[in-house]
Structures are given as structure tokens and as C-alpha cells.
Amino acid sequence: MRLSQMLFVTLREDPAEAEIPSHKLLLRAGYIRRIGSGIYTYLPLMWRVLKKVSQIVREEMDATLAQECLLPQLQPAELWQESGRWDTYTKAEGIMFSLIDRAERQLGLGPTHEEVITTIAKDMIRSYRQLPLNLYQIQTKFRDEIRPRFGLMRGREFIMKDAYSFHTDEASLKQTYQDMDRAYRNILTRCGLAFRPVEADSGAIGGSGSQEFMVLADAGEDEILYTEDGKYAANVEKADSLPADLETSPFTGYEKLETPDTETIEKLCKFLKCSPTNIVKNVLYETVYDNGMTVLVLVSIRGDRDVNEVKLQNELVKLAPQYNAQTIIALTVPDATSQQKWAAKPLPLGYIAPNLDDDYIAHSKNVAPKFIRIADKTIVELTNFVTGSNESGYHVVGANWDKEFILPKLIVDVRTAQTGDRSLHDPKQILQSARGIEAGHIFQLGTKYSQAMGATYTDEAGQEQPLWMGCYGIGVSRLAQAAVEQSYDKNGIIWSVAIAPYQVIVVIPNTSSQEQVTAAEKLYQDLNQAGIETLLDDRDGRAGMKFKDADLIGIPYRIVTGRSLAQGKVEVVTRASGESQELPIDAVVSTVQQWIREEIGN
Ligand code: ATP
Ligand code: MG
């Protein structure tokens, strides 16, 4: 491709809309343009990168014997009503765009395809002889994200590869899950990314085990906790650890003490000269179930620990049937305004005890009359502890379960693991923290969707059984931007050879020199003929500007037909290392071919 003929506009300044380096660089280098919130055009250079990433994904999927197909993006509401997800996805969470056709039928734009694929499986899979089966597609997904941001990282329209597998039993599902794990590692390695597979929360998708593939980058939205020995890594949303050891309480008898201005744990410890591990902290949450019911939640946890809201949310979803609901749509720490909606009297904030009375909740049709009381596991073994007194300015000390307070019946793990904690698998290993971008997520779904939608097969004994399912997603467009986030310098993007839009750029420093033009044209032709994807910068203009643009767009090898032509040579610069060397013109094609082969291994 000739740059003079390409739709190619670079920006000198950082665009105001971009916050992180990869977003700035993709805009500045003319890879993407914003059309609306979370909606981007993939310009010619970007589209080449996306096709390369897709092709790597496709090859690795095909290697696992998964079969490519293309499912509809327009999905009838009935499918989602059958699985029970329509209301949650269109109203409660509101992640799905929905629309009405001319015949007044409701449809959604696919944010994911469990419903469509399960319908196909239900129609077409009859017998165990057809199993296992794994189908995948590479397609644009639509999600009305609450906060679209960072360019392609969190778009409202983005490219995803999603795969869905069907099995007779769990063992077969686990086998395919392993194969997909390996395929994902291969994909990320081939794209030249540093990454870490981590244990993950399965969230609203449901099912048992799941794993995320995190591209390591400081701008990543996710926190990963891992151990040095490589045996443990998890998303902080999911991570477990051993909490720090308890310190012995300095209090031996129960009493109520005046503790002015101690609404934080830090101030309280200082005032009482005790350890945060001696304190039972009581945190108030407000949750709204998908039928509109508001329920107040009181979580009691050890003073040195924080509540993990993802774990808490999972526990609250389990309680949904008690409130005739399916899931929750909001979980917040109630502020003054929301307290007004349900509080019968002012709350002793900062001084709440585990036995805060239910009569703080005013009678109302849409508010549950009693608190959900949850004990984090860390508080069970506390003795002579400190906690609130339900009266502002006072705490109690020397308290014990079964004496002054009743331990809540619901005892679960809702604690956030953090750096410095000891690992469960080996207490000598200490958790460390890193940031990552979630590029992929693989799930063992089990029979959740097949049971809801009646997708069954007939086993060898002639019995009808629900299909076992797995699903596997990888964000093609997010991954491409993540590669930039991991690899750039002050001059621009540094693509790996495997996913660069072009492998080589030939730059003519001075287009009025016939000698330079002729040499460049010949090289351009020879390189392309040898199957090397080559750009030719044949634009008029200063050499400095062309070198800057070449660095900005990040093409792995730059060939310059400049001064050394006199000796029958050209300059070749490697973008990643900045190394420059002169090569005889007739050696260029074979040398570059050799370098590319070494980089992408074929
Ligand atoms: P996140 O937690 O980041 O919202 P998710 O859990 O919703 O991701 P999945 O539903 O598992 O993601 O989708 C599979 C993959 O699709 C993700 O791992 C990610 O790479 C990509 N992806 C998800 N949402 C977006 C988005 N809004 N923009 C770009 N890529 C996305
Ligand atoms: Mg999401």
C-alpha cells in the first residue's frame, strides 16, 4: 500500500478524549476514530490488525477442532425470556440494546449468545453420538456499558470471539475447557503479549469454574493477586487468602466506653490502643432485587479487613428467592439521601453494632422489614472484641459472641484478599499485586442454560439428559488495544510482527530524488512479491516527518532509501530496539524474511 493513497491522518497533539496511552496512540496514529460514546470506526490500519488477531484466534480455535459459524446479532426477546435473562439484561442491568420491529415484536442486539446457541443445540442435538461439540464465531457484540471508556477497551460495539461447547458430562466439559485454556495461552503468546491466567468470579453468567486471561498493564482495570511460586493467581474479586493473625484483645471485661470522634477504625484503634484485629466492624449496604424490593444488609467483618462487594453480591443473589426475586440490580453503601427513603430514625453511623435493631427500617411496601445480617468468617473466633454500641460517640469493649451479641447465622467469606496476605496453598507464599486487562474469560457453565431452555440429549441407555455446556470469550478489539498498552515508547506504538498492520515500511526521504524513488519502488515491489506486507511512504514532505510517522504507527521494520544508496545499500531500522544497520539492497528481502520468520515462528 502507498501511504500517499491511503486514508491516513496523524494527529500531533494528544486528543482530549483519551486518558490512557494506548487510546491516545491509536487515535493519534490514525488507527481509530470516535463516532459516538463507545462507538469507533476501525480505519484501514486498525482493520488489518484486527484481521490478524482474528486469524490467530481462528487458527487456534480450529486446532482444538472447534467449528466456526456465525450467529444472528438480532435476537428475538422470547429466547431471552425462556432463559430468564430478558428483564435483567434489558431493564435491570440494562446492558442489552433492545428494539421493536414493524410488527411490534421485541428484539435485542446480541451482547452474548448463550440463548441463540442453546436454541440451536436444542433443535439439532439429539444423541450422545453428536457430542462433544464446540462452535465459535468472531463477531461484533453490542453492550450498553454504563461507562464506555478507554477507546476499544470498553466499547459499546466491539469484536469478540465467543465459543460454546456441549457435552454429555462434566468430564468431557473439563476436557474441552482445558483445550480452550491452552488455545487462549497460544493466542496471547502468538500476539506477543505478557499475560497471566487467573481464577475469576463467574458473575451473572453463572456456572462453576472460570478463568480470566489478563494482559499485564498498569492501566488495567483489574487487580490480580498472585504468588511468586506461580501456583496461585486470582482476580481480586475472587481471591482468597489467610487473614493476618489475630492479636490478643487488651480488654478482659465488657463495658461501654465513650469514644468521641472515632468513626473510623484507625481513629478507634488509636483511641483504645488496640489492634484492628480486635474490632468487629459493621458495614451497612443497601441492595435492590430485580423485582424492585430494597433490602438493607449489615455485614460484620474484622476491623482490619474490607468487604469484597463481588463476593457479597454473589451471597445476596443466593438469597434472591427469599424475596421472590432472581437477582440483584444494585448494591450500594447508602448515602444520606437514600437513607431518608427507608430509615425510621437517624442511624448511629460509625458506631453501629451487629445487633442494630430492625426498627431502624421504616415500614414500607418496597422495603424488607428486617436486615440481612452477614458475618464474615473472620469474626467467628474473636473474643473480648470491640464493636459499636448503636449510640454515636460510644463503643463497647470486651464483648463476646453468645454473651453480649449473637453471631449472625449466615457465616460466609465476603472478605477482600490483599497484598501481603499469606496464600492458602502455602502460607509461606505472600500475595503480590499486579494490574491487568481482561482479554479473555472461559467458563464451565454446567447445565444452567440447557435446563432453563430444555436442551437435552439421549444417552446410551436411552435416557434424556440435560446438555453440559461451556462458554469461552476473547475480546479481539480489546486485545488489539491491550497490545499497544503493553508496547509503546515516547515516539509511538511498537507492534509485534505477528499483529502489525504491515511488517515493513519503505520510506523515501526525498521524493524529488529519482534514484531514491526508483530504489524504493523496486524494494516495495520485491518485498510484496516475497509475501512481506509492505507500506511505501511515497508522500511529498520532509524526511523527519516521515520518520516520525513511521515510529508513531509502529511498523516493525523501516527501510530508508537514503544516502547509503551510493554504496548500493539501504538503512534498515528495527522499531522495537531502535537498532539501525545498512544492508546491501539485494540482501534486504531475504534478511527481512528471515527476521519475520524468527519472530512469528514459521
Ligand atoms: P468486563 O468485566 O471487562 O466488562 P465481561 O466479564 O463483561 O468483561 P465477557 O462477557 O466475559 O466480559 O466477554 C468476553 C470478552 O469480551 C472479555 O474478556 C473482553 O475481552 C471482551 N469485552 C467485554 N466487554 C467489552 C467491551 N465493552 N468492550 C470491548 N471488549 C469487551
Ligand atoms: Mg462487562
Side-chain angles (χ1 to χ4, degrees), residues 143 145 152-155 158 160 205 221 438-441 443 473-475 477-478:
R143 291 187 184 179
E145 297 277 355
L152 308 187
M153 292 285 194
R154 187 169 296 285
F158 59 95
M160 195 204 285
I205 302 265
E221 285 185 326
E438 180 200 321
H441 198 164
F443 295 84
I474 195 161
S477 45
R478 182 184 284 183

Short mmCIF file of all heavy atoms in Angstrom, two decimals, residues 143 145 152-155 158 160 205 221 438-441 443 473-475 477-478, ligand 1:
data_model
loop_
_atom_site.label_atom_id
_atom_site.label_comp_id
_atom_site.label_asym_id
_atom_site.label_seq_id
_atom_site.Cartn_x
_atom_site.Cartn_y
_atom_site.Cartn_z
N ARG A 143 -23.09 -3.87 23.62
CA ARG A 143 -23.39 -3.78 25.05
C ARG A 143 -23.51 -2.31 25.43
O ARG A 143 -22.59 -1.53 25.16
CB ARG A 143 -22.30 -4.43 25.90
CG ARG A 143 -22.25 -5.93 25.73
CD ARG A 143 -21.27 -6.56 26.70
NE ARG A 143 -21.19 -8.00 26.44
CZ ARG A 143 -20.42 -8.84 27.08
NH1 ARG A 143 -19.65 -8.41 28.06
NH2 ARG A 143 -20.40 -10.13 26.78
N GLU A 145 -22.79 -0.37 27.81
CA GLU A 145 -21.97 -0.26 29.02
C GLU A 145 -22.31 1.02 29.79
O GLU A 145 -22.57 2.06 29.18
CB GLU A 145 -20.48 -0.23 28.66
CG GLU A 145 -19.95 -1.48 27.98
CD GLU A 145 -19.60 -2.58 28.95
OE1 GLU A 145 -19.67 -2.37 30.18
OE2 GLU A 145 -19.25 -3.68 28.47
N LEU A 152 -11.13 1.28 22.52
CA LEU A 152 -11.62 -0.07 22.23
C LEU A 152 -11.66 -0.97 23.47
O LEU A 152 -12.19 -2.07 23.42
CB LEU A 152 -10.75 -0.74 21.17
CG LEU A 152 -10.51 0.06 19.88
CD1 LEU A 152 -9.76 -0.81 18.87
CD2 LEU A 152 -11.82 0.56 19.28
N MET A 153 -11.08 -0.50 24.57
CA MET A 153 -11.04 -1.34 25.78
C MET A 153 -12.44 -1.63 26.29
O MET A 153 -12.75 -2.74 26.69
CB MET A 153 -10.28 -0.64 26.90
CG MET A 153 -8.83 -0.47 26.63
SD MET A 153 -7.95 -2.00 26.83
CE MET A 153 -6.28 -1.36 26.85
N ARG A 154 -13.28 -0.60 26.35
CA ARG A 154 -14.65 -0.80 26.80
C ARG A 154 -15.57 -0.04 25.86
O ARG A 154 -15.93 1.11 26.10
CB ARG A 154 -14.83 -0.35 28.26
CG ARG A 154 -16.21 -0.70 28.82
CD ARG A 154 -16.30 -0.51 30.31
NE ARG A 154 -15.41 -1.40 31.03
CZ ARG A 154 -15.62 -2.70 31.22
NH1 ARG A 154 -16.72 -3.25 30.78
NH2 ARG A 154 -14.75 -3.43 31.86
N GLY A 155 -15.90 -0.68 24.76
CA GLY A 155 -16.76 -0.05 23.77
C GLY A 155 -18.19 -0.51 23.96
O GLY A 155 -18.48 -1.39 24.77
N PHE A 158 -18.16 -3.89 19.89
CA PHE A 158 -16.79 -4.39 19.87
C PHE A 158 -16.75 -5.79 19.29
O PHE A 158 -17.78 -6.45 19.15
CB PHE A 158 -16.19 -4.37 21.29
CG PHE A 158 -16.96 -5.21 22.29
CD1 PHE A 158 -16.60 -6.53 22.56
CD2 PHE A 158 -18.06 -4.68 22.95
CE1 PHE A 158 -17.32 -7.29 23.48
CE2 PHE A 158 -18.79 -5.45 23.86
CZ PHE A 158 -18.41 -6.75 24.12
N MET A 160 -15.77 -9.67 19.32
CA MET A 160 -15.47 -10.76 20.26
C MET A 160 -15.47 -12.08 19.52
O MET A 160 -16.19 -12.26 18.55
CB MET A 160 -16.55 -10.83 21.34
CG MET A 160 -16.16 -11.66 22.56
SD MET A 160 -17.57 -12.30 23.48
CE MET A 160 -18.14 -10.88 24.33
N ILE A 205 -23.01 -14.69 34.51
CA ILE A 205 -23.04 -15.75 33.50
C ILE A 205 -23.33 -17.09 34.18
O ILE A 205 -23.96 -17.96 33.62
CB ILE A 205 -21.70 -15.81 32.71
CG1 ILE A 205 -21.43 -14.47 32.03
CG2 ILE A 205 -21.67 -16.97 31.75
CD1 ILE A 205 -21.87 -14.33 30.59
N GLU A 221 -7.88 -2.36 34.29
CA GLU A 221 -8.97 -2.07 35.23
C GLU A 221 -9.01 -3.09 36.36
O GLU A 221 -9.66 -2.87 37.36
CB GLU A 221 -10.32 -2.09 34.50
CG GLU A 221 -10.57 -0.88 33.64
CD GLU A 221 -11.97 -0.88 33.02
OE1 GLU A 221 -12.48 -1.96 32.69
OE2 GLU A 221 -12.54 0.21 32.88
N GLU A 438 -8.50 -7.56 31.20
CA GLU A 438 -9.12 -8.86 30.92
C GLU A 438 -9.30 -9.01 29.41
O GLU A 438 -10.11 -8.33 28.82
CB GLU A 438 -10.47 -8.95 31.62
CG GLU A 438 -11.16 -10.28 31.36
CD GLU A 438 -12.67 -10.23 31.63
OE1 GLU A 438 -13.09 -9.59 32.60
OE2 GLU A 438 -13.40 -10.84 30.84
N ALA A 439 -8.52 -9.92 28.82
CA ALA A 439 -8.65 -10.11 27.37
C ALA A 439 -9.58 -11.27 27.07
O ALA A 439 -10.25 -11.28 26.04
CB ALA A 439 -7.28 -10.38 26.76
N GLY A 440 -9.63 -12.26 27.96
CA GLY A 440 -10.49 -13.41 27.70
C GLY A 440 -11.03 -13.99 28.98
O GLY A 440 -10.50 -13.73 30.08
N HIS A 441 -12.10 -14.76 28.85
CA HIS A 441 -12.73 -15.37 30.03
C HIS A 441 -13.33 -16.70 29.58
O HIS A 441 -14.10 -16.72 28.62
CB HIS A 441 -13.82 -14.41 30.54
CG HIS A 441 -14.23 -14.68 31.96
ND1 HIS A 441 -14.94 -13.77 32.71
CD2 HIS A 441 -14.04 -15.75 32.77
CE1 HIS A 441 -15.16 -14.28 33.92
NE2 HIS A 441 -14.62 -15.48 33.97
N PHE A 443 -15.49 -20.23 30.79
CA PHE A 443 -16.43 -20.65 31.84
C PHE A 443 -16.83 -22.12 31.68
O PHE A 443 -17.08 -22.56 30.56
CB PHE A 443 -17.76 -19.91 31.73
CG PHE A 443 -17.72 -18.44 31.97
CD1 PHE A 443 -17.38 -17.57 30.95
CD2 PHE A 443 -18.08 -17.91 33.20
CE1 PHE A 443 -17.38 -16.20 31.15
CE2 PHE A 443 -18.08 -16.53 33.41
CZ PHE A 443 -17.73 -15.68 32.37
N GLY A 473 -14.95 -16.67 25.85
CA GLY A 473 -14.92 -15.40 25.12
C GLY A 473 -13.53 -14.80 25.09
O GLY A 473 -12.75 -14.95 26.03
N ILE A 474 -13.23 -14.13 23.98
CA ILE A 474 -11.99 -13.35 23.94
C ILE A 474 -12.28 -12.06 23.18
O ILE A 474 -12.95 -12.08 22.14
CB ILE A 474 -10.81 -14.16 23.32
CG1 ILE A 474 -9.47 -13.49 23.61
CG2 ILE A 474 -10.98 -14.36 21.82
CD1 ILE A 474 -8.28 -14.43 23.44
N GLY A 475 -11.86 -10.95 23.74
CA GLY A 475 -12.17 -9.65 23.13
C GLY A 475 -11.12 -9.31 22.08
O GLY A 475 -10.01 -8.90 22.41
N SER A 477 -11.03 -6.88 19.74
CA SER A 477 -10.67 -5.45 19.64
C SER A 477 -9.99 -4.98 20.92
O SER A 477 -9.03 -4.19 20.87
CB SER A 477 -11.89 -4.60 19.30
OG SER A 477 -13.01 -4.96 20.08
N ARG A 478 -10.46 -5.49 22.09
CA ARG A 478 -9.79 -5.10 23.33
C ARG A 478 -8.36 -5.61 23.36
O ARG A 478 -7.44 -4.91 23.77
CB ARG A 478 -10.57 -5.63 24.54
CG ARG A 478 -9.94 -5.21 25.86
CD ARG A 478 -10.62 -5.81 27.06
NE ARG A 478 -11.89 -5.17 27.38
CZ ARG A 478 -12.63 -5.50 28.44
NH1 ARG A 478 -12.22 -6.45 29.26
NH2 ARG A 478 -13.78 -4.88 28.68
P1 ATP B 1 -15.69 -6.81 31.73
O1 ATP B 1 -15.67 -7.36 33.12
O2 ATP B 1 -14.41 -6.15 31.33
O3 ATP B 1 -16.90 -5.98 31.44
P2 ATP B 1 -17.03 -9.13 30.83
O4 ATP B 1 -16.87 -10.00 32.01
O5 ATP B 1 -18.30 -8.41 30.63
O6 ATP B 1 -15.82 -8.07 30.78
P3 ATP B 1 -17.26 -11.30 28.92
O7 ATP B 1 -18.73 -11.19 28.89
O8 ATP B 1 -16.64 -12.49 29.54
O9 ATP B 1 -16.63 -9.95 29.52
O10 ATP B 1 -16.74 -11.11 27.42
C1 ATP B 1 -15.59 -11.79 26.89
C2 ATP B 1 -14.52 -10.81 26.48
O11 ATP B 1 -15.03 -9.75 25.67
C3 ATP B 1 -13.86 -10.08 27.65
O12 ATP B 1 -12.89 -10.89 28.25
C4 ATP B 1 -13.30 -8.85 26.98
O13 ATP B 1 -12.05 -9.14 26.38
C5 ATP B 1 -14.29 -8.56 25.89
N1 ATP B 1 -15.20 -7.46 26.27
C6 ATP B 1 -16.23 -7.49 27.15
N2 ATP B 1 -16.85 -6.31 27.22
C7 ATP B 1 -16.20 -5.49 26.34
C8 ATP B 1 -16.37 -4.14 25.94
N3 ATP B 1 -17.35 -3.40 26.44
N4 ATP B 1 -15.52 -3.63 25.01
C9 ATP B 1 -14.53 -4.38 24.49
N5 ATP B 1 -14.33 -5.66 24.82
C10 ATP B 1 -15.14 -6.22 25.74
#
